[in-house]
Amino acid sequence: MTVLQAHYDVVIVGGGPAGLAAAVGARDSGCGRILIVDREKEMGGILNQCIHSGFGLHNFKEELTGPEYADRFIRRVRSEPGIDILSESFILDISPDLRVTLMGSSIGLVEIRAGAVVLAMGARERARGAIRTPGYRPAGVMTAGLAQRMVNMEGLLPGKRIAILGSGDIGLIMARRLTLEGCEVTGVYEIMPYCNGLTRNVVQCLKDFDIPLHLSTTMAFIHGRDRVQKVTLAPVADDCQPQLAKAWDVDCDTILMSIGLIPENELSRQLRLQMDPITGGPRVSSTLETSLPGVFACGNVLHIHDLVDYVTEESMRAGAFAGELAQGRRRPQDNIELQAGDNVRYCVPHTLSPDREISVYLRCIRPQRDCILRLGNFLEKPLRLVIPSEMIHLTIKPEILQRFYGTTLRIDIVPREDA
Amino acid sequence: MKSQIELVCICCPMGCQMQLHVEGRAISEIEGNTCKIGLNYARQECIDPRRMLSTTVACKNGLWPRLPVKTAEAIPKAMMGEIARSLHFLAVTAPVEIGAVIVENICGTSINVVATRSMPKVKLEADNN
């Protein structure tokens, strides 16, 4: 039986990599009463099913698997006296004066008060409905991440002959994983003319196992009334429409979809937070505070990250700012709006303040070689290559913003003139 | 005998397309790399390609029925399938501590297979009857 206190300095929604790092950040800022709430039976979130290595190269300078990365933070959080962990529970509601309504098997229905709240709910996978693939609705069509959980945690194989739609990293990782478990992977089919996953995964997950990657190809029809029997694949023209005259069939009993992630913001919308339609997450200030004072956001619920190391870095800051606020330390309000300009899809945070160093994460719209990342007329950073699947990190020193008296700064990615 | 090998560098997002010119068993020239890291990668990949292997083994009485494991060091690329298959029918019993050696000297590589998480015990033997 978990005994909850009536008041916490910081309540963290989600015990994945973002929530755990936010707890560490809040603790380091001096908070003594922190609560992490997660709906699963253990902390670690999606890291627990990501058993491949490649995590932690930035933060720990070594290559860890997902469960190992999670373990480091779970140990740290467990060893801190001021952090309570509540599993198999979820948050039903947060009021504007930060009264949090929780429900769980070990606590029943409880209301507690919070000095600050950190949203760290992570993301959910896009599923078949999001891309409206024609065909039947048989068993055997699932997201790559669900298959990953089945294989790596629950000990279930999703099928024997597998076709993968979409070249996201989870799909590539699962192509290798299922091959090693004795399944046959017919190929990975990507509608875009380029792969959405990291080059490293194309080499180590597909090429190493001779799994074909078909670019500019999509699924035109899913066959099978009860179970998937085959799939019709077709090359797409420049307008992304399938060219049915060139279609071909592939026998398979399972289709995995790896077509992107959506930040899980049901709670944020319930709170009527101002949202960014591009990131799918809330708008945040330079302290990662949302439009509702005292509510912060970090990790994949804010915007989709490609490396967990970045999630950790961002979430430790969010936790620290939430902890400061809960202890009554207020920072000056942001007075500069940050705008996405040429070849910038989005940037987070949405506003800036000149009172401290600020980390900005952004993504480009299209690949570009030999370019310059430009912040107004104040900062230029040469970049050899930008691609949409790799997040760009920019640090802005306070001196730079102290020379700026306007209200709006633009970030652009422009061609290098001498190139 | 001269031959040419095509490689894509995986050390950073640039993804340089490299060509290795090989004479007998020696590399005579590497083209296409744009930094030194690529050179080292190409040499290693050509002489002794290695990979980390992550997989799972069955786990009795644990919180989950599968325990994730990895090779403690990178193993020869050609042995990935053999090592993965040799772990298919292995079962351990919870509790298991993270880092615990699950198999010593897997397939004669002198590399150990270790647990990548702690698996608490939840089910009692009696519950299974």
Side-chain angles (χ1 to χ4, degrees):
Chain A
M1 190 79 183
T2 313
V3 179
L4 286 186
Q5 299 180 42
H7 179 263
Y8 283 92
D9 294 328
V10 181
V11 172
I12 297 162
V13 192
L20 292 167
V24 171
R27 186 77 191 92
D28 288 346
S29 80
C31 278
R33 286 171 302 178
I34 298 159
L35 176 68
I36 312 176
V37 184
D38 196 277
R39 63 183 169 203
E40 276 288 336
K41 56 187 174 186
E42 55 182 351
M43 300 292 125
I46 215 70
L47 285 170
N48 288 329
Q49 68 181 55
C50 298
I51 63 162
H52 53 280
S53 62
F55 301 90
L57 282 168
H58 288 247
N59 286 342
F60 297 115
K61 307 288 172 229
E62 57 181 306
E63 211 173 322
L64 303 171
T65 65
E68 289 172 313
Y69 190 93
D71 184 76
R72 300 212 171 178
F73 282 90
I74 294 170
R75 265 168 215 271
R76 169 80 203 276
V77 163
R78 282 224 185 101
S79 69
E80 295 285 352
I83 304 178
D84 286 350
I85 296 171
L86 183 62
S87 54
E88 290 180 290
S89 303
F90 54 99
I91 290 183
L92 293 174
D93 193 30
I94 301 167
S95 71
D97 59 347
L98 303 187
R99 275 200 296 259
V100 180
T101 312
L102 296 155
M103 191 167 80
S105 50
S106 66
I107 52 160
L109 188 65
V110 179
E111 188 183 271
I112 55 173
R113 280 178 298 120
V117 172
V118 180
L119 304 178
M121 293 90 81
R124 211 181 271 170
E125 288 177 286
R126 286 178 77 196
R128 180 180 176 181
I131 53 166
R132 296 193 279 181
T133 307
Y136 289 93
R137 300 281 180 274
V141 183
M142 66 187 81
T143 62
L146 175 61
Q148 189 180 43
R149 183 180 162 109
M150 287 169 67
V151 173
N152 292 346
M153 296 176 78
E154 295 173 3
L156 304 166
L157 276 183
K160 290 182 180 141
R161 220 178 120 78
I162 295 157
I164 300 178
L165 180 64
S167 62
D169 284 307
I170 317 170
L172 303 181
I173 298 272
M174 283 315 289
R176 169 174 66 185
R177 187 74 195 99
L178 288 164
T179 305
L180 287 172
E181 287 297 336
C183 302
E184 193 185 340
V185 178
T186 66
V188 174
Y189 312 98
E190 168 60 52
I191 193 166
M192 300 307 285
Y194 50 84
C195 179
N196 269 314
L198 303 172
T199 316
R200 172 198 171 83
N201 286 335
V202 176
V203 172
Q204 297 200 344
C205 300
L206 301 186
K207 285 203 178 129
D208 276 6
F209 298 93
D210 297 319
I211 299 167
L213 171 61
H214 296 262
L215 297 174
S216 300
T217 301
T218 194
M219 281 187 190
F221 204 87
I222 294 173
H223 304 263
R225 289 197 74 93
D226 299 318
R227 178 80 198 187
V228 176
Q229 287 177 335
K230 65 176 180 179
V231 60
T232 300
L233 298 156
V236 297
D238 291 341
D239 59 359
C240 279
Q241 292 304 308
Q243 298 171 290
L244 295 177
K246 296 181 188 168
W248 77 99
D249 290 346
V250 170
D251 288 333
C252 60
D253 57 27
T254 304
I255 296 167
L256 300 190
M257 305 238 164
S258 178
I259 51 178
L261 300 171
I262 309 165
E264 195 170 333
N265 274 299
E266 280 78 5
L267 194 56
S268 317
R269 275 189 284 272
Q270 200 177 318
L271 291 172
R272 296 179 189 277
L273 300 183
Q274 276 181 32
M275 304 294 284
D276 177 337
I278 309 266
T279 59
R283 282 177 60 87
V284 289
S285 72
S286 61
T287 59
L288 301 166
E289 193 174 16
T290 67
S291 59
L292 180 61
V295 176
F296 296 75
C298 56
N300 276 351
V301 80
L302 181 56
H303 59 122
I304 301 299
H305 296 58
D306 33 50
L307 294 180
V308 71
D309 301 71
Y310 292 150
V311 170
T312 299
E313 187 277 328
E314 180 180 273
S315 305
M316 286 183 72
R317 278 190 288 122
F321 287 125
E324 282 185 3
L325 185 80
Q327 293 169 85
R329 290 212 301 272
R330 294 204 70 93
R331 289 185 177 269
Q333 284 250 311
D334 288 357
N335 53 3
I336 302 164
E337 179 100 7
L338 190 60
Q339 264 184 5
D342 291 347
N343 198 17
V344 177
R345 189 160 154 72
Y346 71 78
C347 40
V348 170
H350 299 81
T351 55
L352 303 176
S353 163
D355 82 312
R356 82 201 92 95
E357 190 175 289
I358 286 169
S359 258
V360 175
Y361 288 113
L362 58 139
R363 271 186 206 281
C364 64
I365 296 168
R366 55 186 180 275
Q368 194 174 345
R369 274 184 193 274
D370 296 314
C371 46
I372 293 173
L373 180 64
R374 187 177 279 159
L375 175 72
N377 299 322
F378 296 92
L379 183 61
E380 286 193 349
K381 186 178 173 183
L383 297 168
R384 282 176 72 195
L385 171 73
V386 294
I387 51 175
S389 57
E390 300 261 345
M391 210 157 74
I392 304 162
H393 183 217
L394 175 70
T395 304
I396 305 175
K397 300 255 182 239
E399 308 82 273
I400 289 167
L401 295 179
Q402 277 156 12
R403 283 180 285 147
F404 179 69
Y405 298 101
T407 54
T408 307
L409 263 178
R410 239 173 83 133
I411 291 193
D412 298 287
I413 297 172
V414 294
R416 207 157 70 202
E417 272 141 30
D418 56 15
Chain B
M1 206 191 83
K2 284 186 184 182
S3 61
Q4 191 174 327
I5 301 169
E6 299 279 332
L7 268 186
V8 183
C9 184
I10 59 163
C11 302
C12 85
M14 291 290 289
C16 295
Q17 304 272 343
M18 298 188 285
Q19 294 83 43
L20 274 74
H21 300 272
V22 184
E23 284 190 54
R25 299 192 65 183
I27 302 166
S28 56
E29 199 189 341
I30 299 173
E31 285 178 298
N33 64 299
T34 48
C35 76
K36 229 170 137 180
I37 299 167
L39 277 182
N40 292 335
Y41 170 75
R43 273 199 205 101
Q44 178 71 36
E45 197 59 18
C46 183
I47 297 161
D48 178 23
R50 282 180 176 257
R51 299 285 185 269
M52 291 296 289
L53 177 74
S54 307
T55 184
T56 61
V57 296
C59 183
K60 291 176 193 153
N61 302 336
L63 182 65
W64 296 100
R66 303 298 292 187
L67 173 77
V69 298
K70 70 171 185 184
T71 52
E73 291 162 48
I75 52 159
K77 182 179 144 186
M79 291 184 74
M80 268 193 296
E82 182 192 346
I83 293 176
R85 276 192 300 278
S86 78
L87 294 168
H88 276 174
F89 298 102
L90 185 77
V92 297
T93 305
V96 180
E97 265 303 298
I98 187 170
V101 175
I102 304 298
V103 182
E104 277 182 18
N105 183 19
I106 184 85
C107 297
T109 52
S110 73
I111 292 167
N112 295 341
V113 173
V114 298
T116 56
R117 64 163 286 169
S118 299
M119 187 64 76
K121 179 180 171 173
V122 289
K123 281 183 239 162
L124 297 170
E125 300 282 349
D127 294 347
N128 293 337
N129 297 330

